[in-house]
Amino acid sequence: MERNWLLSYLAILIVTAAVSTSISACPIKFEFLNYTIITSERKGPKYPANRCCAAFKKFACPYAKQINDLTTDCASTMFSYINLYGKYPPGLFAAECREGKQGLKCPKSAPTH
């Protein structure tokens, strides 16, 4: 019985190592960005979608390529900092900011911050 447990434990370690190496760190330093563009427009308890989503797009679109890259942790890192600085309910942007099945439409050449 112990042998099976050890093999299972080793299998978990191998899978964990494989998963952790398949996701790399985000090249964007979201911790140092200015979130005022979002936090000044999106204040609770009411969150008007038109103003909030426009502000979110202004902030996020310059980094759309990195945010959409599933081999990095950019999306989760960005949302962590947005929620930290804005104190928003989890999933608020995902629930309110939609323009189609693919999500939000960013301009082809979004200005960088």
Side-chain angles (χ1 to χ4, degrees):
M1 189 81 139
E2 278 186 56
R3 186 174 189 161
N4 289 340
W5 180 85
L6 179 58
L7 290 177
S8 297
Y9 181 71
L10 288 174
I12 291 170
L13 285 177
I14 291 168
V15 169
T16 302
V19 169
S20 65
T21 58
S22 66
I23 296 178
S24 62
C26 183
I28 307 299
K29 301 297 181 197
F30 283 106
E31 64 268 27
F32 299 117
L33 296 183
N34 183 353
Y35 291 85
T36 306
I37 193 167
I38 297 174
T39 58
S40 64
E41 292 294 326
R42 192 156 197 147
K43 297 180 180 178
K46 294 184 180 181
Y47 301 101
N50 59 341
R51 288 177 44 201
C52 298
C53 296
F56 176 73
K57 284 176 64 169
K58 284 181 189 175
F59 178 83
C61 281
Y63 312 108
K65 182 178 177 183
Q66 294 86 358
I67 293 166
N68 290 327
D69 183 352
L70 300 180
T71 65
T72 71
D73 64 352
C74 289
S76 62
T77 301
M78 179 193 69
F79 281 112
S80 293
Y81 281 104
I82 287 173
N83 290 334
L84 174 70
Y85 293 124
K87 298 178 179 42
Y88 303 118
L92 181 65
F93 291 93
E96 291 188 15
C97 300
R98 295 180 180 252
E99 293 176 330
K101 291 180 181 179
Q102 298 297 319
L104 296 174
K105 297 175 186 170
C106 290
K108 292 212 183 244
S109 59
T112 57
H113 300 285

